[in-house]
Amino acid sequence: MTKPFPSKSTVRETVTDYLVITLAMGIISFGVYFFMVSCNLVIGNVSGLSLVLSKIIPVRISILTFIMNALLLILSVLLIGRDFGAKTIYTTAIMSVYLFIFEIIFPNQPPLCTNQLVNILCYSLIISYGQTIIFNRNASAGGFDIVAKILNKYLHIDLGKGLILAGVTASLTSLFVYDIETVVLSILGTYIGGVCLDRNLANFQLRYRVSVITSDPQPIQQYITDNLHCGVSVYQLTGGYHKEPRHDLVSVLDKNEYQKLMDYLRIHASQVFVTVTTTGEVVGGFRTKKGRTLL
């Protein structure tokens, strides 16, 4: 029995995922090569461990990174899932390609900044932003990101904290090659990266629960469903002061959708009472006939 062909929306989502992942890996690879490799930073990840090994073994950093990531990829497929594993295989391959290109175009790249602390801050901010994008696409950049994801799935440890736990171990390996100052800087960079990742993920997952109380719910409800393509729940209630019937429209929106709704209300529905609360996580939803999930 043959499997049905995936729908156009599924294909579109998959293509979008991989395009976004490719862009995010470009950001990560840029940070690795120009702020870690060029500065001999050993931030807690496989690329940092590869940098240490490259000082001992005459092998390119790109090749060492690929080999160690390949071992962790097996764990990602077995312990996390095939979709996550497939995307992580892609990120591992594309990162090796990016690093190889950088090594060819910018051989012996000098540090962009002379201050190591500035380099660590730049690296941590760049890498954590790329990791945030990738984790939100159910993928990882490989390496210790896989370890963090496993810790998150089975021990419910935040991804950033998981990266810190795994990364400090890699940072300590710099003792075999570099001095104590380098080790301290590496641990600092690992910690900053983990904290930034958790904060970025919290911002990405932030949603707004908007409650709009009005006597004319139809235009607002239609705008939310037809223009924002979001779900909305409608409750009937009675005002406690005027004893008049009202409707409470409740919808959970992301930041962009929330801003559009507020702009609409200011222009087209000034006689409303709006309350907004933020929520850090949304689980579940309802599938429409078109296959879209609405809350």
Side-chain angles (χ1 to χ4, degrees):
M1 187 174 180
T2 59
K3 294 183 179 180
F5 289 104
S7 63
K8 290 184 179 179
S9 60
T10 301
V11 174
R12 190 183 302 112
E13 289 177 2
T14 301
V15 172
T16 301
D17 279 347
Y18 279 90
L19 287 176
V20 172
I21 288 172
T22 301
L23 175 62
M25 286 309 302
I27 296 173
I28 290 176
S29 300
F30 177 86
V32 167
Y33 190 77
F34 290 96
F35 288 101
M36 188 188 76
V37 175
S38 63
C39 304
N40 288 327
L41 297 178
V42 189
I43 311 300
N45 54 26
V46 169
S47 299
L49 190 57
S50 298
L51 181 61
V52 173
L53 293 177
S54 68
K55 300 294 183 178
I56 304 172
I57 306 172
V59 179
R60 284 181 178 272
I61 295 174
S62 57
I63 297 176
L64 289 171
T65 301
F66 184 84
I67 292 173
M68 286 188 286
N69 277 326
L71 297 176
L72 288 170
L73 284 173
I74 299 174
L75 291 177
S76 72
V77 174
L78 295 176
L79 300 179
I80 302 175
R82 296 171 66 180
D83 180 63
F84 180 89
K87 289 178 179 178
T88 303
I89 288 173
Y90 175 76
T91 62
T92 302
I94 200 67
M95 183 174 185
S96 297
V97 172
Y98 274 123
L99 290 177
F100 180 76
I101 293 173
F102 288 148
E103 287 176 338
I104 297 299
I105 299 177
F106 305 101
N108 302 317
Q109 172 67 32
L112 296 182
C113 302
T114 56
N115 190 304
Q116 286 287 68
L117 183 58
V118 174
N119 286 319
I120 285 178
L121 291 174
C122 291
Y123 170 85
S124 300
L125 292 173
I126 293 172
I127 297 298
S128 63
Y129 185 75
Q131 288 173 321
T132 303
I133 297 173
I134 290 175
F135 275 125
N136 273 286
R137 295 286 173 171
N138 190 35
S140 76
F144 291 140
D145 287 14
I146 297 174
V147 177
K149 185 68 175 180
I150 293 173
L151 293 175
N152 175 258
K153 180 177 181 179
Y154 293 98
L155 300 180
H156 307 292
I157 297 175
D158 291 340
L159 289 169
K161 293 181 176 63
L163 278 175
I164 292 173
L165 291 174
V168 167
T169 303
S171 297
L172 291 175
T173 61
S174 60
L175 278 171
F176 297 101
V177 179
Y178 304 110
D179 54 19
I180 296 296
E181 181 180 354
T182 302
V183 176
V184 173
L185 288 173
S186 299
I187 294 175
L188 177 63
T190 301
Y191 177 78
I192 293 174
V195 171
C196 289
L197 175 61
D198 279 340
R199 291 201 173 187
N200 289 339
L201 286 171
N203 290 332
F204 263 75
Q205 296 168 357
L206 186 67
R207 293 293 183 269
Y208 298 86
R209 185 183 185 275
V210 183
S211 171
V212 182
I213 298 178
T214 178
S215 58
D216 185 17
Q218 187 60 33
I220 302 173
Q221 180 180 349
Q222 186 173 356
Y223 179 79
I224 294 174
T225 56
D226 295 349
N227 293 72
L228 300 181
H229 304 289
C230 294
V232 57
S233 298
V234 183
Y235 303 93
Q236 293 184 347
L237 48 83
T238 302
Y241 186 79
H242 293 290
K243 310 300 181 182
E244 296 178 354
R246 295 285 189 271
H247 291 81
D248 184 11
L249 286 77
V250 178
S251 185
V252 179
L253 311 171
D254 63 25
K255 185 176 182 180
N256 184 48
E257 294 163 346
Y258 162 69
Q259 290 175 341
K260 289 181 179 179
L261 176 60
M262 296 305 294
D263 290 339
Y264 173 84
L265 294 176
R266 292 187 186 99
I267 298 173
H268 302 284
S270 58
Q271 297 300 317
V272 295
F273 181 76
V274 182
T275 58
V276 182
T277 56
T278 57
T279 179
E281 185 175 5
V282 177
V283 179
F286 302 96
R287 299 293 289 184
T288 65
K289 292 182 180 179
K290 295 182 179 180
R292 179 179 175 82
T293 300
L294 299 180
L295 301 174

